[in-house]
Amino acid sequence: MMDALVRISSNMKSMERELHCPVCKEIVKQPVVLPCQHSVCLMCASEVLVQNGYPPPELPPEPNSPASTPNTRSPHQARRPMPSKADHRPIDRVLRSGFGTYLSPGRRRKEPPHAMLFPCPPCGREVELGEKGLTDCLRNLTLERIVERYRHTVSLGSVAVMCQFCKPPQSLEATKGCADCRASFCNECFKLYHPWGTPRAQHEHVQPTLNFRPKVLSCPEHDQERLHFYCRTCQRLLCPLCKLRRVHAGHKVAPVAQAYQTLKDKITKEMNYVLANQETVLGQISQLESAITQTEANSVAAREQLSQSVRDLTALLAERHASLTEALERARQKRGEALAGQVAERRSLLEHAGLMAFSQELLKETDPPCFVQAARQTHSRLSTSIEGLQCFSLAADPSFRHFQLDVSKELKLLTDLQFIQAPLAPVIDTQKTLAYDQLFLCWRLPQESAPAWHFSVEFRRRGVVPGGGARGGIQGRLAAARWGWQRLEEVGGTSAVIDRLEMDSVYVLRVRGCNKAGFGEYSEEVYLHTPPAPVLNFYLDSRWGLHADRLVVSKEQRCARSVPGLSLLQAADLALTSCHLTADLLVGDVAITQGRHYWACSVEPGSYLVKVGVGLEAKLQEWFHLPQDMASPRYDPDSGHDSGAEDSLDSPPPFSFLTMGMGKIFLPHGPNHHNNHGCPANGTSPRRSPTISNGNIHASSPTGLTYPLPPRLGVCLDFEKGRVTFYDAHSLRPLWEGPVDCSGPVCPAFCFIGGGALQLQELVANRMADQTPVRRVTIQSRVTNLNN
């Protein structure tokens, strides 16, 4: 029996940390539940509010304080009045009496008070308590019961609760507690204060304690109302009156018994899961303990390395100090010798010394040949001395100014001397990053960042959220573990290519750098939408009657530019009132006969008018045979509808284009027009696109919308459904969708009216290759005769 008690006591002691208040770090007393679901002592919460500038609220006395013990005499000596409920008001009643609502005496509140903010230590942020403060915070009765069991189990019943109605020193140990009177009694006092046959005899008996709690939780706003409901949306307990409020209209409200059973089942399952994985827990504990050991060992090694680095710097400084000192000494000696020579030379010029004395004796010579022979050297020395007197200068600079060290840079380096820093979070270049046939990600490091040896690129599909996402619980977390981040390790350079991705999916990407200090912070996450269909790679076909004087195709056949030719200039010179604009058509070198395909292109913002779309190959050939000034409006290359009576109005058009020009894109109204959110607009009639006639644009629909020209325009053709969709290729937002006749091969087509330029989106695979491979591919099951 004793071993069992010791074991239970040991288990209870191990959970003591769960019972600590996050503010005072002691076992909680009178805990209240904050909106963030953390529990704190009532006294601690009030002190924190006072420290943050809120007025001090009126608090109930602590259970173990003298104010909480009734000051009544023992029934052995005299009869005292029966204890009233006013002497032991429940804590929640005191809270409801105005705790958290502060009004100056004699003033009424005219404006709603500001919500109180409580800095929750576990959350690390401020939690909004509402305008009533702690009044709306319910007591955590369950935690109080756990604390009471903990205290009783740990002490093994050694702490006695004394009767609150016996007068010391004759106080007896309490044997019973009354939940209604909120006091502990000995047997005699209990009988005295609970006479048989009176209503007090029906009071609830509990174990003796100094901390009495209300029997049940009641609504903090509606007195005596039980909390029978639980709002799953707000995650709050509700009484029947709170449930009828408009704020909970449309919320998921369930009976509290159902919420109790659901939450209890979840906790039971989670506990069973944790208990079934005790080996994993023990393994992780061993791994953490090993990490602590490695931390201590590595810190010692790092400290030794730091000391060694400082010793190396000190040794290098000492060596450099000796070298510079030696150079300084050599310069001092050399300059001293030069100046000493000058001093000796000047001293020889004194009247009775050196050269002057020798010259005086030389002048006493009377033999001319001997004088001339001996006097030439003296004459030379005297001439040199006189020149030195007239142009005197020091033989050496005594200042040593250029021997002073400039250590400002070195001092700054030493001041900034720090441990190796991991690279900062990279900055992703959203202008160069794109999703096409493959996903191309480009980034750079901030200027103040430490260099990175390599990078780690991580990506995942959006919707598969680590942590379970919409699928909560253990199963959601396990699914997230299976579909977590995928990585490209040790990526050199500042760009990466990711292939084999799902079509029409949003991918989340992030990057972090790594060097000797380890991995740095992640970059901001970017979202890229992959194309809705396989990417079609094609080139511009120059075999269909290309007018070289007006349309120029690049050597790579991926870029075309339209310029006003000589014929247009001549026509403009002859015309006095108007000018006929020519429409030059250019097609791709592929003919699509099946499947879904996507491609993208960019139009130069300064272009006059450029039309991008698709068309039947046969109809496009007929268009090439028309006069290039298009004097007759019979054919509309924008809608593809023949104005003759032989065509049905319900037949799909052979052409489908969108018009761009002067930095704008025109989106006609219709059932297939998409708004800014990518949703189809309301409409009942099929699309009728603008008509090109003599260079003028005629819209068959009364109105349309113009949007800024996107950097890249995407086109998706569904051959089986006979539908073409235009996208903003940067965000993959649908712009417009319409029908197109797919009874025969369909080609990508482009129309130029006036000056303009267009460039096809290059494949990411070709961009990353050393050279563009030569290709000529047609996606069709039969050879198309271009001469028909």
Side-chain angles (χ1 to χ4, degrees):
M1 183 64 179
M2 184 58 65
D3 294 340
L5 291 176
V6 172
R7 184 168 60 254
I8 295 175
S9 176
S10 176
N11 294 337
M12 294 294 287
K13 287 183 178 179
S14 64
M15 75 169 186
E16 181 177 346
R17 192 176 66 174
E18 303 294 332
L19 308 179
H20 282 178
C21 171
V23 177
C24 63
K25 307 302 182 184
E26 300 290 340
I27 295 180
V28 291
K29 298 178 182 179
Q30 306 180 37
V32 292
V33 182
L34 300 176
C36 60
Q37 304 304 314
H38 290 119
S39 297
V40 296
C41 301
L42 177 61
M43 183 65 68
C44 295
S46 62
E47 291 178 356
V48 170
L49 289 177
V50 171
Q51 292 174 1
N52 283 269
Y54 295 102
E58 179 184 354
L59 295 178
E62 294 188 19
N64 56 356
S65 64
S68 65
T69 303
N71 188 16
T72 57
R73 294 183 298 175
S74 172
H76 294 283
Q77 300 180 7
R79 180 69 60 91
R80 298 288 293 179
M82 293 292 180
S84 62
K85 295 184 179 180
D87 296 332
H88 308 285
R89 290 184 298 171
I91 296 177
D92 54 345
R93 299 290 181 82
V94 178
L95 290 176
R96 283 199 297 268
S97 64
F99 185 81
T101 58
Y102 310 107
L103 295 175
S104 301
R107 298 184 60 184
R108 292 186 178 182
R109 179 165 46 204
K110 297 182 180 180
E111 298 181 356
H114 297 288
M116 289 188 178
L117 299 178
F118 183 86
C120 180
C123 296
R125 61 182 179 86
E126 292 184 337
V127 180
E128 184 175 342
L129 299 181
E131 63 181 39
K132 296 183 180 180
L134 294 175
T135 306
D136 292 333
C137 299
L138 298 175
R139 289 184 63 182
N140 196 339
L141 299 182
T142 302
L143 182 58
E144 290 188 35
R145 297 187 185 101
I146 295 175
V147 169
E148 186 172 350
R149 290 197 298 268
Y150 166 79
R151 292 184 183 276
H152 179 74
T153 305
V154 171
S155 62
L156 297 180
S158 60
V159 178
V161 179
M162 306 306 295
C163 177
Q164 296 177 265
F165 293 89
C166 293
K167 185 178 180 180
Q170 301 177 2
S171 298
L172 300 178
E173 183 177 349
T175 58
K176 294 181 181 180
C178 180
D180 296 276
C181 297
R182 298 174 59 83
S184 297
F185 301 84
C186 63
N187 288 331
E188 185 177 353
C189 292
F190 187 83
K191 294 177 182 180
L192 178 62
Y193 284 92
H194 297 81
W196 181 260
T198 63
R200 291 185 180 274
Q202 306 299 324
H203 287 183
E204 181 182 358
H205 304 169
V206 295
Q207 292 292 330
T209 181
L210 293 175
N211 186 13
F212 288 94
R213 301 174 297 274
K215 297 180 181 180
V216 294
L217 285 176
S218 58
C219 180
E221 298 186 19
H222 304 96
D223 195 12
Q224 300 298 330
E225 289 292 336
R226 301 280 294 273
L227 301 171
H228 292 295
F229 300 96
Y230 179 72
C231 179
R232 299 182 186 275
T233 306
C234 301
Q235 297 185 353
R236 291 178 62 90
L237 292 169
L238 305 177
C239 71
L241 297 179
C242 292
K243 179 177 178 293
L244 299 178
R245 286 188 172 181
R246 184 180 302 175
V247 68
H248 297 289
H251 289 187
K252 296 180 180 179
V253 179
V256 69
Q258 179 182 348
Y260 161 79
Q261 191 62 41
T262 301
L263 190 57
K264 192 172 184 179
D265 293 342
K266 288 183 178 179
I267 293 178
T268 302
K269 291 180 180 179
E270 292 170 347
M271 285 184 60
N272 293 336
Y273 177 82
V274 174
L275 294 176
N277 291 270
Q278 289 297 294
E279 294 183 0
T280 303
V281 175
L282 294 175
Q284 293 178 358
I285 291 175
S286 300
Q287 184 178 356
L288 291 173
E289 291 176 349
S290 176
I292 293 175
T293 304
Q294 292 179 5
T295 300
E296 295 296 329
N298 292 337
S299 65
V300 173
R303 190 181 296 109
E304 179 60 30
Q305 184 180 9
L306 173 63
S307 302
Q308 183 61 39
S309 299
V310 174
R311 286 196 296 268
D312 293 342
L313 287 175
T314 305
L316 182 59
L317 284 175
E319 180 181 354
R320 191 61 180 163
H321 176 260
S323 175
L324 294 176
T325 303
E326 183 180 356
L328 179 62
E329 182 63 24
R330 288 198 302 268
R332 183 198 64 78
Q333 183 177 0
K334 183 177 180 181
R335 294 186 181 189
E337 292 177 354
L339 293 175
Q342 275 191 311
V343 170
E345 182 179 354
R346 291 303 184 272
R347 286 179 176 176
S348 65
L349 297 180
L350 294 177
E351 182 178 0
H352 301 291
L355 182 61
M356 297 304 296
F358 179 78
S359 298
Q360 291 176 1
E361 294 296 328
L362 181 64
L363 291 176
K364 295 178 181 181
E365 179 64 42
T366 57
D367 186 1
C370 293
F371 179 82
V372 172
Q373 181 181 2
R376 286 192 306 175
Q377 183 180 4
T378 303
H379 171 67
S380 177
R381 291 180 61 189
L382 287 174
S383 298
T384 302
S385 298
I386 293 173
E387 184 178 354
L389 289 174
Q390 295 176 350
C391 302
F392 176 75
S393 63
L394 297 178
D397 185 9
S399 64
F400 281 78
R401 286 189 297 266
H402 59 288
F403 279 90
Q404 296 180 2
L405 292 179
D406 182 10
V407 294
S408 57
K409 295 181 180 180
E410 289 75 9
L411 289 177
K412 186 177 185 305
L413 289 176
L414 291 175
T415 304
D416 298 337
L417 189 63
Q418 294 290 342
F419 294 105
I420 300 176
Q421 299 292 325
L424 297 180
V427 179
I428 295 182
D429 190 345
T430 56
Q431 299 298 324
K432 297 181 180 180
T433 299
L434 59 92
Y436 199 47
D437 59 312
Q438 297 173 342
L439 197 150
F440 179 73
L441 185 65
C442 184
W443 64 88
R444 60 177 176 82
L445 282 175
Q447 293 183 355
E448 62 275 11
S449 172
W453 293 353
H454 55 81
F455 295 89
S456 174
V457 179
E458 300 184 3
F459 61 97
R460 63 172 174 85
R461 285 184 62 187
R462 188 179 182 183
V464 184
V465 182
R471 300 175 56 189
I474 300 175
Q475 297 297 329
R477 289 189 288 268
L478 293 178
R482 291 195 303 268
W483 300 96
W485 292 93
Q486 302 181 54
R487 294 179 178 84
L488 296 180
E489 301 288 355
E490 298 187 3
V491 177
T494 57
S495 63
V497 174
I498 305 173
D499 55 1
R500 296 188 295 275
L501 301 177
E502 297 289 338
M503 291 184 300
D504 199 13
S505 301
V506 177
Y507 281 85
V508 188
L509 301 100
R510 63 186 185 184
V511 188
R512 61 174 177 171
C514 180
N515 57 15
K516 188 176 182 180
F519 283 99
E521 298 179 356
Y522 284 105
S523 66
E524 292 187 3
E525 295 181 353
V526 295
Y527 297 82
L528 292 181
H529 197 153
T530 55
V535 174
L536 176 64
N537 185 31
F538 63 90
Y539 293 86
L540 300 175
D541 199 340
S542 59
R543 298 175 296 171
W544 283 26
L546 188 66
H547 294 271
D549 61 333
R550 297 197 302 267
L551 204 59
V552 179
V553 179
S554 65
K555 182 179 179 182
E556 296 80 10
Q557 294 183 279
R558 302 195 68 88
C559 180
R561 179 174 294 276
S562 174
V563 294
L566 181 60
S567 59
L568 180 61
L569 295 177
Q570 293 175 350
D573 182 63
L574 297 176
L576 298 178
T577 58
S578 63
C579 177
H580 293 266
L581 292 179
T582 58
D584 297 314
L585 185 66
L586 190 62
V587 299
D589 64 347
V590 296
I592 302 171
T593 59
Q594 59 184 355
R596 297 178 71 239
H597 303 278
Y598 174 86
W599 63 92
C601 63
S602 58
V603 176
E604 189 176 277
S607 302
Y608 184 63
L609 287 179
V610 177
K611 305 176 74 63
V612 178
V614 295
L616 275 176
E617 185 181 34
K619 291 293 184 179
L620 292 174
Q621 293 180 26
E622 293 180 11
W623 191 9
F624 272 112
H625 292 86
L626 292 177
Q628 293 303 308
D629 59 358
M630 300 188 65
S632 172
R634 174 177 175 80
Y635 280 98
D636 172 15
D638 190 46
S639 65
H641 181 68
D642 190 347
S643 61
E646 68 276 5
D647 289 344
S648 171
L649 293 177
D650 296 333
S651 62
F655 308 124
S656 185
F657 289 89
L658 275 190
T659 305
M660 289 156 283
M662 295 167 284
K664 301 288 184 180
I665 181 171
F666 180 75
L667 304 177
H669 278 311
N672 305 310
H673 169 245
H674 291 74
N675 56 23
N676 288 335
H677 301 286
C679 301
N682 295 328
T684 57
S685 61
R687 173 189 182 244
R688 290 295 179 261
S689 298
T691 302
I692 303 177
S693 178
N694 295 336
N696 299 321
I697 306 297
H698 302 279
S700 56
S701 59
T703 58
L705 296 177
T706 58
Y707 287 96
L709 181 66
R712 293 181 294 122
L713 181 70
V715 183
C716 182
L717 174 66
D718 192 329
F719 188 87
E720 281 70 21
K721 293 183 178 180
R723 308 287 294 181
V724 61
T725 307
F726 296 88
Y727 295 87
D728 179 351
H730 182 72
S731 61
L732 259 291
R733 178 174 61 90
L735 298 176
W736 192 88
E737 181 182 351
V740 65
D741 187 1
C742 292
S743 58
V746 178
C747 297
F750 312 92
C751 180
F752 294 87
I753 303 173
L758 175 141
Q759 183 172 1
L760 298 179
Q761 178 67 49
E762 185 180 5
L763 295 181
V764 176
N766 292 350
R767 176 190 298 185
M768 301 306 296
D770 294 337
Q771 58 183 3
T772 303
V774 180
R775 47 86 65 200
R776 180 68 64 183
V777 178
T778 301
I779 303 179
Q780 59 182 8
S781 57
R782 63 185 184 278
V783 179
T784 304
N785 188 1
L786 301 180
N787 298 323
N788 291 341

